[in-house]
Amino acid sequence: MRYLITGGSGFIGSHLSERLLNEGQSVLVLDDLSTGRYENVAQLEGRTGFELRVGSVTEPRLVEECVKECQAVFHLASAVGVRLVVEQPVKTIETIVNGTDVVLRAAARYRRPVLITSTSEVYGKSEKIPFAEGDDCVMGPTNTRRWAYACAKALDEFLALAHWHESRLPVVIARLFNTVGPRQTGRYGMVIPRFVAQGLAGEPITVFGDGRQSRCFAHVSDIVGALIALMANPKARGEVFNIGNDEEVSIIALAERVKTLTGGKSSIRIVPYSEAYTAGFEDMVRRVPDLTKVRRLIGYYPTRNLDEILADVLADQAVGAAG
Ligand code: UDP
């Protein structure tokens, strides 16, 4: 099979590309290299079956050509993370909504199965823990920019499901919870690569808010395996699945763990949200996935715990620093 991976030079996309190539599949990556990095796929160039095309997922002609040449589409291209939507709201919303629209139209034209990667952000500030796929999405007001990310991704889900409903276009939606691993950059705010880099540099580890907010972190290798299994399973079509890890940790406890792992030289600095993001920023207090649905369908269990994830990120950053 030849797969189109939009956003294939990003952190998750590059791991997915590599896994598919290792399984003997061929991969066409479409990436505009805005937040995706060439270094992420440089080691794949030259491998049989790999091709990178640089361009935007919002260009209909280009996307159509790519879709036509492949048998299935993993749509990962997106603006990444809440920080970007706070800083560049127009571009973020346009990339998310227009990009998915363009991909779905092309897929509908050529009847290609599409897996859309969504996000746990769509649960918004729901306090019903854990989050299950059928739960309400609880959004904040439209004048608080962070919610634009969740709303745009939720609209992508609506649009994909609408294609399924109207024409039985085979779509699957994967809601990814905090995904971590080698090659993830802290540039867009992601907490683990930031903490590890700060710890390794002996700089203060910056905990936003009071640090009592919690998250569940999954290793990218688990996520990638689940994406491939969902794409391959006809029963997943027209359905939404959480993918992640349900081991919960508070951000302050995470900071302590990273501090110890990196030799204990860093201090822990509490930074108010107004300083870290913008005034009036609302964070999610807890975010835990209910993994029952994905477990039932594809037997998904996360295989890497937080200690293993941290060790892997640390090794990756230590090598990067040495290199
Ligand atoms: N965070 C933090 N320090 C940082 C970066 C992030 O305390 O340097 C916090 C952030 O406010 C959030 C959590 O860590 O509560 C996870 O942030 P991330 O951006 O990684 O993912 P999110 O779950 O917010 O999408």
Side-chain angles (χ1 to χ4, degrees), residues 149-177:
Y149 182 68
C151 280
K153 295 295 277 191
L155 187 59
D156 284 0
E157 293 194 17
F158 276 119
L159 191 58
L161 293 172
H163 277 276
W164 165 254
H165 179 73
E166 284 190 12
S167 69
R168 283 289 174 263
L169 177 70
V171 300
V172 188
I173 293 159
R175 284 186 186 156
L176 308 189
F177 284 64

Side-chain angles (χ1 to χ4, degrees), residues 220-269:
V220 65
S221 65
D222 283 329
I223 298 296
V224 159
L227 295 178
I228 294 171
L230 285 175
M231 174 69 101
N233 195 319
K235 289 198 180 125
R237 293 174 179 177
E239 297 286 338
V240 179
F241 296 89
N242 289 337
I243 315 179
N245 190 326
D246 46 15
E247 179 187 354
E248 190 177 6
V249 65
S250 72
I251 299 301
I252 191 80
L254 177 70
E256 299 282 0
R257 248 149 111 165
V258 172
K259 175 180 167 158
T260 309
L261 274 173
T262 52
K265 295 184 294 291
S266 294
S267 58
I268 291 180
R269 183 150 70 88

Side-chain angles (χ1 to χ4, degrees), residues 98-207:
N98 297 347
T100 302
D101 180 32
V102 166
V103 167
L104 286 168
R105 277 171 198 259
R109 173 139 192 222
Y110 296 99
R111 300 293 304 169
R112 303 293 195 248
V114 190
L115 183 145
I116 303 275
T117 47
S118 184
T119 165
S120 55
E121 274 280 319
V122 299
Y123 291 104
K125 47 185 167 180
S126 171
E127 287 175 5
K128 185 187 160 293
I129 300 287
F131 297 156
E133 293 84 349
D135 290 345
D136 287 345
C137 299
V138 185
M139 300 296 164
T142 53
N143 62 3
T144 302
R145 267 173 285 167
R146 85 155 288 155
W147 300 115
Y149 182 68
C151 280
K153 295 295 277 191
L155 187 59
D156 284 0
E157 293 194 17
F158 276 119
L159 191 58
L161 293 172
H163 277 276
W164 165 254
H165 179 73
E166 284 190 12
S167 69
R168 283 289 174 263
L169 177 70
V171 300
V172 188
I173 293 159
R175 284 186 186 156
L176 308 189
F177 284 64
N178 297 65
T179 306
V180 193
R183 297 186 207 136
Q184 186 179 36
T185 161
R187 207 177 304 156
Y188 306 105
M190 293 7 182
V191 67
I192 287 187
R194 282 173 59 86
F195 280 7
V196 169
Q198 290 164 339
L200 285 173
E203 290 167 4
I205 296 177
T206 54
V207 170

